[in-house]
Amino acid sequence: MTTDQTSLDLSIAATGPLVDFGRAGLIGLAETQIARHLAHLYGESDQLVMLAAALSVTALRAGSVCLDLSQVDQLAPAVADGVEVDLSQLEWPAPDLWLDRLRLSRLVRSGPDGPGDRPLRLVDRWLYLERSWADQQAVVASLRHRLQSNDQPPDQLCKSYIDVSCPPSAPPASDAQERACQLAQRSRCLVIGGGPGTGKTTTVARVLASLSPSPSHPPRICLTAPTGKAAAHLDAAVRRNLGQLGASWLADQIPTAGTIHRVLGIKPWGAVDFGPDRLLPVDWLVVDEVSMLSLRHMRLLLQAVPEPARVVLVGDPDQLASVEAGAVLADIVAAAEGHPGEAAAIPYVRLDHNYRFTGALAELAELIRDGRAEAVVELVASQPEGVEFAPLDSGSPTAELAALDGLRQEVVDCGRAVRQALAAADWPEALAASGRHRLLCAHRLGPSGVSHWSRLAETWLAQALPAPDRSGLWPVGLPVLATRNDDALGVYNGDTGLVVDFDGRRRVVLDTSSGLRLFGPAQLEGLEPNHASTIHKAQGSQYDAVSVVVPPSGASLLTRQLLYTAVTRAQRRVRLIGSLDAIRQAVQQPALRASGLTERLLAPQS
């Protein structure tokens, strides 16, 4: 974005640093107008205060809960792609002067205490929008309240279940699983962390079984996740593992897992069916893929759980955070690891042993997670079994198609398998074939984005598998993705499916949390082709093989968490498409999200 282009998106009434930071691309028209409007309402004329207000909105848009005034220059890499920021040309306010001006401002409530009657809240070095501060404080209060002792007896119940009650055919419990059962016995909150294939849902099943004494008094259990795909996976895995543990009676008592939107009854206008005034009728709440939860949704969820109920939060703290503000799971885990063993510590079990994949793929994921950039580049360049590298330095597939022969063949083979299954009217097999490979991108638009690569995949399929039924807006065999929640239809964001021919008409068969469902394309608002998808949308899913389009060096989304999340979607093989320099940069650059949640959880209680 050039200076001239940026100026078109600036308020003509803006003055002072708002103009300078706007031209640099750190704030836009919306942020400027919000800051000026708040200043007008509260009689504030200080330009530094207005700048801080505008940057706070920018930080929220970039995924942070607040503006960290001690590291405000690090906000630049998190703003939207295409923005050119020359920090050397910006005159940053002196931190001490900025803090003093904010403390004196009518816009700002200073300190953690006091009413939320001002739009901004300054706590230490963090500047929050008041709503974000209220969300964070509600999450902190709820978690701390659940850490209080619930006067449960010692650990003999869960220990006896693990040692005696399981059938001989059940796999033995690991030390980490035994510890999870013991922690769940003593606390109303438990966090289970680990990468894909480390046995998180198996551990959840053991925890549920260990604290469910008999079929005559079954607990009320609710399973939920942010997306329909993740909810369906949690539901199937927990039921399967309970059966292996000899607790099929408990699985029969658990309602089908649903998305968080469905469980809470979240309305498009923000209202909820369940909240502080109408609590969920549950004894156990299990939330999977918590890394995808925003701070706002975590607050809504925790406030809807009855005080005696137990909450189990499950996820991978090293994955991408929510597309909205917050990195809740990573912050909670950081707090749990900050003072392990202390009375106020959050009960946390980390699962490290991977049961799903080994070899080079597992090694690659571990190296990325640990931030070992040179070792990652060396491994990728050597292309061991399970890891393929397709050099693409230009960022555009049209320039270097020869490097993509493997990807082209994978897309065509997958499409051929889908078509054969559809010809036999075997929809489950067609959906399974469609999910054996997925092309993942960091962006939606641009040369390395979903739209570009999705068109390329469709071109390959049309050339290799010509057929009349591939015509029109919804060609038969087209993989699709639901991107919106529809309670009336039982369709939720993340549900995947295929376009099929049913009695001579185009229909969409979706793999939902309640099974396969058939719809007309016009019934589904927000339905998108799914030849390629963003890495964010692939969270909670697993594929035999994935091909990852790594953004070019300098892209704002190019982070360690992005690459780790993409690689760990694969169960057998991963293909990285891009440059080694971009891969190196991704591993070296952790995602930066300011929140203060970890510090608030670690702070002494007053």
Side-chain angles (χ1 to χ4, degrees):
M1 184 180 295
T2 65
T3 301
D4 291 340
Q5 291 171 320
T6 303
S7 64
L8 298 176
D9 196 34
L10 296 177
S11 168
I12 60 174
T15 58
L18 288 176
V19 175
D20 297 334
F21 279 73
R23 286 174 176 166
L26 278 179
I27 56 177
L29 177 62
E31 291 83 4
T32 302
Q33 293 295 74
I34 290 172
R36 294 187 66 252
H37 182 63
L38 292 176
H40 172 73
L41 290 177
Y42 285 81
E44 178 59 71
S45 59
D46 193 322
Q47 292 284 339
L48 294 186
V49 173
M50 284 189 275
L51 174 63
L55 289 174
S56 295
V57 180
T58 297
L60 192 69
R61 176 167 58 86
S64 291
V65 177
C66 59
L67 180 68
D68 187 342
L69 293 170
S70 68
Q71 298 178 324
V72 68
D73 57 330
Q74 296 185 17
L75 178 64
V79 297
D81 287 326
V83 175
E84 298 177 3
V85 181
D86 185 1
L87 299 181
S88 64
Q89 300 301 313
L90 292 176
E91 185 177 348
W92 293 92
D96 291 340
L97 174 62
W98 211 354
L99 287 170
D100 288 341
R101 296 281 188 89
L102 288 169
R103 292 189 186 102
L104 296 174
S105 174
R106 298 176 183 178
L107 280 176
V108 181
R109 173 67 62 187
S110 186
D113 303 319
D117 55 355
R118 302 186 188 184
L120 299 174
R121 170 85 61 164
L122 179 65
V123 181
D124 299 325
R125 67 179 190 270
W126 297 291
L127 183 65
Y128 297 81
L129 298 177
E130 181 60 35
R131 176 177 172 177
S132 297
W133 169 256
D135 286 341
Q136 179 173 287
Q137 285 300 91
V139 170
V140 170
S142 181
L143 288 174
R144 281 184 163 176
H145 185 68
R146 293 190 171 278
L147 297 181
Q148 298 173 5
S149 173
N150 58 1
D151 298 324
Q152 289 293 318
D155 307 328
Q156 294 307 311
L157 176 62
C158 60
K159 186 68 175 176
S160 65
Y161 179 86
I162 293 172
D163 291 343
V164 179
S165 302
C166 293
S169 59
S174 67
D175 292 342
Q177 290 171 346
E178 288 194 20
R179 175 168 167 75
C181 293
Q182 293 165 3
L183 289 174
Q185 180 79 4
R186 297 196 298 261
S187 176
R188 288 172 292 169
C189 180
L190 172 65
V191 181
I192 300 174
T198 55
K200 295 190 295 294
T201 49
T202 302
T203 305
V204 167
R206 285 193 180 273
V207 167
L208 294 177
S210 69
L211 295 180
S212 303
S214 70
S216 59
H217 297 89
R220 298 170 298 174
I221 297 173
C222 176
L223 306 177
T224 186
T227 67
K229 190 79 171 180
H233 170 75
L234 174 66
D235 187 272
V238 168
R239 294 180 192 280
R240 180 178 65 252
N241 284 293
L242 285 175
Q244 293 175 353
L245 295 172
S248 297
W249 64 269
L250 181 58
D252 295 339
Q253 302 293 328
I254 302 177
T256 302
T259 64
I260 290 170
H261 276 77
R262 177 182 173 187
V263 167
L264 295 180
I266 299 177
K267 311 303 179 186
W269 55 92
V272 294
D273 290 337
F274 293 95
D277 300 325
R278 187 189 179 200
L279 299 174
L280 289 166
V282 298
D283 301 307
W284 279 91
L285 177 70
V286 178
V287 190
D288 198 10
E289 297 293 348
V290 178
S291 62
M292 300 170 66
L293 270 189
S294 67
L295 183 67
R296 178 67 175 170
H297 285 121
M298 179 62 83
R299 173 184 182 170
L300 294 176
L301 199 60
L302 292 178
Q303 288 184 332
V305 181
E307 182 177 327
R310 288 181 171 90
V311 175
V312 181
L313 304 176
V314 187
D316 186 348
D318 299 306
Q319 281 190 21
L320 279 169
S322 166
V323 293
E324 300 177 47
V328 181
L329 180 61
D331 287 342
I332 291 174
V333 168
E337 293 177 335
H339 55 187
E342 297 180 21
I346 298 173
Y348 171 58
V349 174
R350 184 172 191 116
L351 307 173
D352 292 319
H353 182 73
N354 199 299
Y355 299 92
R356 185 172 299 163
F357 53 77
T358 58
L361 183 56
E363 183 182 358
L364 177 62
E366 183 177 349
L367 291 173
I368 295 172
R369 186 191 66 193
D370 295 342
R372 299 173 58 186
E374 294 306 323
V376 168
V377 169
E378 182 179 346
L379 177 65
V380 171
S382 67
Q383 301 196 66
E385 184 178 357
V387 177
E388 181 181 330
F389 174 58
L392 195 68
D393 292 326
S394 68
S396 173
T398 56
E400 299 164 81
L401 287 176
L404 301 177
D405 287 343
L407 173 62
R408 183 182 188 279
Q409 191 61 49
E410 191 116 45
V411 169
V412 171
D413 288 346
C414 188
R416 182 177 289 109
V418 168
R419 179 171 297 189
Q420 291 172 350
L422 290 179
D426 190 344
W427 293 349
E429 174 57 28
L431 286 167
S434 176
R436 287 175 191 143
H437 173 262
R438 182 64 74 237
L439 179 57
L440 302 180
C441 305
H443 312 83
R444 290 180 56 82
L445 304 175
S448 58
V450 168
S451 59
H452 192 122
W453 286 81
S454 186
R455 287 194 300 270
L456 184 62
E458 182 60 34
T459 299
W460 286 338
L461 288 169
Q463 293 172 345
L465 305 171
D469 57 1
R470 296 199 65 84
S471 61
L473 183 62
W474 301 107
V476 173
L478 176 71
V480 292
L481 175 73
T483 62
R484 298 189 184 179
N485 298 311
D486 190 325
D487 288 319
L489 295 178
V491 174
Y492 298 94
N493 180 23
D495 290 345
T496 56
L498 287 168
V499 177
V500 301
D501 182 272
F502 184 72
D503 289 341
R505 295 185 178 184
R506 302 291 167 87
R507 291 292 183 264
V508 176
V509 57
L510 284 183
D511 186 8
T512 72
S513 58
S514 55
L516 299 187
R517 304 279 303 281
L518 194 66
F519 302 95
Q523 290 180 269
L524 302 170
E525 191 175 359
L527 195 67
E528 295 182 354
N530 198 31
H531 286 302
S533 69
T534 62
I535 297 169
H536 259 112
K537 289 185 180 297
Q539 283 184 270
S541 299
Q542 290 284 294
Y543 310 97
D544 283 352
V546 299
S547 298
V548 184
V549 180
V550 181
S553 299
S556 65
L557 293 180
L558 193 58
T559 65
R560 183 184 306 161
Q561 287 83 352
L562 177 95
L563 189 59
Y564 172 82
T565 301
V567 166
T568 55
R569 298 311 91 203
Q571 293 179 300
R572 295 185 184 178
R573 294 180 291 107
V574 64
R575 176 185 295 107
L576 296 176
I577 304 168
S579 71
L580 292 177
D581 285 341
I583 293 172
R584 180 185 291 106
Q585 178 188 325
V587 180
Q588 291 173 338
Q589 179 61 54
L592 299 175
R593 287 201 170 188
S595 73
L597 177 58
T598 298
E599 288 78 4
R600 299 307 301 172
L601 288 170
L602 291 173
Q605 299 189 48
S606 56

